[in-house]
Amino acid sequence: QLQASGGGLVQAGGSLRLSCVVSGFTLDYYAIGWFRQAPGKEREGVSCISSSGGGIYYAESVKGRFAISRDVAENTVYLQMNSLKPEDTAVYYCAGGDYRTAYYYPSPNRHDYDYWGQGTQVTVSS
C-alpha cells in the first residue's frame, strides 16, 4: 500500500513537498516512481528512484526544479517540488514496482509499476 500526501494549491514559483508512505513492502526491493496526470492527458513519469537508491530519473520538464529522495528507515519517498509552474498542475501518484531491473534502473514507464497510491492534487495558480 502507498499513501501519497502533501499536495495543495500554490502560486507559481512556490514549493510543495509530496510524501509517499509505503507499507507492505520495503524500499530495498521496490523502485518507487512519482507520476502525474493532468485532465485529458496520459499519466507520465515525473521522477523515479531505483530500489538501490542509486538510480534516479527526472522528466526533462522537471529537471533542476524537483528532487526525489527517500528514507529507508521510514519507508517513505519524498518529492520536493520547487519553482512550480501552472503546467505542473495534476494529480500526483506514487507507485511501487519490483520489475527485473528495479535495483539499478528507475523506470519512468508506468506499466512497470504494480502498486499505486490514491493520488494527491497539486494545483499551481498563475
Side-chain angles (χ1 to χ4, degrees):
Q1 185 177 2
L2 299 95
Q3 183 76 30
S5 63
L9 173 63
V10 65
Q11 288 188 333
S15 298
L16 285 172
R17 188 194 196 201
L18 305 185
S19 298
C20 176
V21 179
V22 177
S23 60
F25 59 86
T26 67
L27 301 183
D28 291 329
Y29 295 100
Y30 280 74
I32 301 296
W34 283 100
F35 295 80
R36 67 186 180 187
Q37 188 166 19
K41 295 189 176 182
E42 288 195 1
R43 192 170 298 189
E44 63 171 345
V46 176
S47 182
C48 310
I49 186 166
S50 66
S51 63
S52 69
I56 289 178
Y57 165 87
Y58 293 106
E60 284 295 325
S61 59
V62 307
K63 276 185 181 178
R65 300 188 297 122
F66 290 12
I68 192 170
S69 62
R70 68 179 195 170
D71 185 331
V72 175
E74 295 294 326
N75 230 29
T76 301
V77 178
Y78 303 97
L79 185 67
Q80 178 67 43
M81 306 188 297
N82 299 324
S83 302
L84 283 162
K85 304 176 181 180
E87 51 263 44
D88 294 318
T89 295
V91 178
Y92 283 71
Y93 301 88
C94 59
D98 66 343
Y99 49 92
R100 184 176 55 84
T101 55
Y103 181 77
Y104 57 85
Y105 176 60
S107 173
N109 185 341
R110 59 189 175 94
H111 298 292
D112 285 329
Y113 294 82
D114 301 305
Y115 303 101
W116 290 81
Q118 84 290 359
T120 184
Q121 176 71 46
V122 172
T123 303
V124 184
S125 63
S126 57

